[in-house]
Amino acid sequence: HQNLLNRMLGEKNLISSRIITGKVKSSEHIWNNPNERIIFATPQMLLNDFNRSLVDLSGFQLAIFDEFDMASGAYDYVVLASLFKKYLI
C-alpha cells in the first residue's frame, strides 16, 4: 500500500509514511511521530505494540482497516476496533 501511495503522489510526495510489520525491528516501531502522517501496519503489530505500551492510540486521527471482512470473533481487527472506539470516539 505504501508503494501505491508513493506512485499516486509522484515525485512531489510530501506525505511521510512508515511501514510496521513483522519484518521491521521492534526498535523501529515508531507509532506516534508527528512527522509521519500515514502508518501502514499489520493489525498484529499494532495490537502487540499497544499491549506493550509502545503506541498511544489517542494520537491517531484516523484508522483504516484493510480486509475488515476478516473482523469476526477474537481476530485482532475486532480488538483494535474496540480499542479505537474507546480512544478516539
Side-chain angles (χ1 to χ4, degrees):
H1 296 327
Q2 186 182 39
N3 290 337
L4 175 61
L5 175 69
N6 291 338
R7 284 196 318 267
M8 289 173 53
L9 296 176
E11 291 180 21
K12 296 184 180 184
N13 181 358
L14 301 177
I15 300 175
S16 180
S17 62
R18 172 180 295 275
I19 295 175
I20 300 177
T21 65
K23 296 179 181 180
V24 176
K25 296 177 191 175
S26 293
S27 62
E28 296 175 9
H29 290 198
I30 301 169
W31 293 95
N32 298 104
N33 181 346
N35 295 321
E36 292 174 335
R37 306 285 313 271
I38 299 174
I39 298 173
F40 297 93
T42 62
Q44 295 82 9
M45 289 292 99
L46 178 55
L47 189 56
N48 288 344
D49 283 359
F50 174 80
N51 289 333
R52 295 179 3 208
S53 299
L54 298 177
V55 58
D56 176 12
L57 296 183
S58 67
F60 286 74
Q61 294 178 352
L62 174 68
I64 299 172
F65 297 100
D66 187 17
E67 299 181 22
F68 197 70
D69 57 306
M70 301 291 292
S72 62
Y75 193 67
D76 291 339
Y77 282 128
V78 177
V79 177
L80 286 171
S82 295
L83 288 170
F84 273 111
K85 184 177 179 182
K86 177 181 175 182
Y87 285 90
L88 297 181
I89 297 176

